[in-house]
Amino acid sequence: MTAGRKFRDVLARKGLVEAMASHSPLSAMLAAEAGFDAIWASGFELSAMYGVPDVSVVSMTQHLDMTRAMADRSGLPVVADIDTGFGNAINVLYAVEQYERAGAAVIVMEDKSFPKVTSLIAGGRQDMVRIEEFQGKIEAARAARRDPDLVIVARTEALIAGLGQEEALKRARAYEAAGADMILVHSKQKTPDEIEAFVRAWDGKAPIALVPTAYPQMTVARVKELKKIGLLIWGNHAIRASVGAMRATFAQIRKEGGIHGVESQIATVDDVFELQGMSAVKDNEKRFLR
Ligand code: SPV
Ligand code: MG
């Protein structure tokens, strides 16, 4: 079964796919262990992992390699955040071919111009491409997929750019007309109002994807009440959890002059061995090493 088919099956069965952000194969494995349906191969998380801003600095190759490794290790469908598609429609043709081969189930492409600026930053430059240009990019994505089940998500940044609901709806309708399977609408409002108004006004057939980072009051239960949502992305909680945990641990070791105090608070070495599959290594040593 292809990755895209697997994603579509979960969507059909559950009505809502819940994806957790990841920046590494290990974080993707932990998301799978926690019971999420899919992995969000977040550009923000990977950029942060490299210690650089999410402004098209991380290359397609870096993100693609991580997508492949996360799909391989987690076994979950991966929702690949390909930002602007790394250029124009010609770049999109190449990118989609590569991401499908890397095992991505879903491709999310946003209607900002390359190089992009991260969406949630206060006062960020949020330059958009023309609607017709983005329709060409969606058509290129559709033309490049070999598997008809690979899900193409068009993400509009109209609300992020402050262009308002009418522009967001106009773009979403145009992107659905160009063949997008799903529409992601992003907002940085501190409450769900803006997004809920959009969802109520949405008159298309395509399900909506949300990333409620800025408006954490949006729970799974509330999303289900909205009916039209097909994909819920917890956008950056793997990297933020890591930053918090590492900071606290490092500070405590410095303060206490040793590692004795943190011992009971962090994962055991055996726990990490288990994640790495060391028990299988031991079994295989018995079987094959002579
Ligand atoms: C990401 O996680 O890379 C996203 C979501 O695109 S956001 O950072 O909120 O734009
Ligand atoms: Mg992103």
Side-chain angles (χ1 to χ4, degrees):
M1 193 193 292
T2 65
R5 185 72 252 161
K6 212 166 154 184
F7 179 92
R8 286 175 191 261
D9 282 356
V10 180
L11 180 59
R13 198 172 67 244
K14 294 182 138 182
L16 176 69
V17 179
E18 208 183 324
M20 174 49 72
S22 290
H23 52 272
S24 65
L26 183 64
S27 54
M29 287 162 68
L30 293 171
E33 183 187 275
F36 291 101
D37 305 307
I39 299 301
W40 170 236
S42 159
F44 170 83
E45 288 225 352
L46 190 62
S47 303
M49 193 198 76
Y50 278 106
V52 299
D54 181 19
V55 291
S56 305
V57 165
V58 165
S59 73
M60 186 185 101
T61 309
Q62 287 171 305
H63 187 260
L64 185 64
D65 284 348
M66 198 56 82
T67 297
R68 185 182 294 108
M70 293 195 294
D72 176 53
R73 294 285 83 196
S74 71
L76 291 182
V78 173
V79 181
D81 173 15
I82 69 163
D83 288 355
T84 63
F86 309 98
N88 64 19
I90 304 305
N91 300 75
V92 170
L93 285 171
Y94 181 77
V96 168
E97 185 188 304
Q98 295 294 315
Y99 275 84
E100 183 180 334
R101 237 181 246 157
V106 181
I107 304 289
V108 177
M109 182 170 62
E110 67 202 42
D111 57 0
K112 290 202 299 223
S113 59
F114 177 91
K116 55 76 73 67
V117 171
T118 195
S119 301
L120 300 182
I121 190 80
R125 174 185 67 79
Q126 301 294 345
D127 296 339
M128 314 268 293
V129 295
R130 287 171 299 106
I131 290 178
E132 296 73 20
E133 183 179 343
F134 199 66
Q135 285 181 309
K137 292 173 84 166
I138 293 165
E139 286 168 30
R142 284 180 63 91
R145 69 179 168 192
R146 300 266 165 83
D147 173 16
D149 286 330
L150 180 76
V151 180
I152 310 287
V153 182
R155 161 171 166 177
T156 183
E157 295 280 285
L159 300 177
I160 292 284
L163 302 178
Q165 180 173 302
E166 274 318 304
E167 179 68 17
L169 282 168
K170 185 172 148 197
R171 283 180 174 259
R173 289 180 192 125
Y175 301 163
E176 182 177 40
D181 297 308
M182 203 181 266
I183 302 294
L184 190 155
V185 57
H186 204 14
S187 165
K188 58 182 172 194
Q189 293 280 313
K190 300 278 181 274
T191 65
D193 308 1
E194 184 178 53
I195 282 296
E196 287 182 337
F198 177 92
V199 174
R200 274 195 298 275
W202 175 237
D203 47 8
K205 286 202 175 60
I208 295 172
L210 296 181
V211 190
T213 309
Y215 46 99
Q217 310 90 323
M218 184 64 96
T219 58
V220 173
R222 198 157 165 180
V223 161
K224 284 184 177 162
E225 274 169 31
L226 288 173
K227 305 274 194 268
K228 302 172 191 171
I229 315 302
L231 173 61
L232 178 61
I233 296 170
W234 304 122
N236 53 29
H237 299 79
I239 198 83
R240 288 166 61 198
S242 309
V243 168
M246 284 194 270
R247 272 224 179 98
T249 303
F250 299 168
Q252 194 175 340
I253 293 170
R254 291 282 295 154
K255 184 163 158 254
E256 296 175 352
I259 55 175
H260 49 281
V262 301
E263 199 57 23
S264 62
Q265 294 162 34
I266 58 178
T268 62
V269 180
D270 280 344
D271 187 0
V272 180
F273 281 158
E274 219 28 66
L275 288 163
Q276 290 175 292
M278 275 310 292
S279 45
V281 171
K282 278 182 163 169
D283 291 345
N284 286 330
E285 280 185 341
K286 278 195 206 108
R287 244 178 109 189
F288 302 118
L289 295 188
R290 293 181 192 144

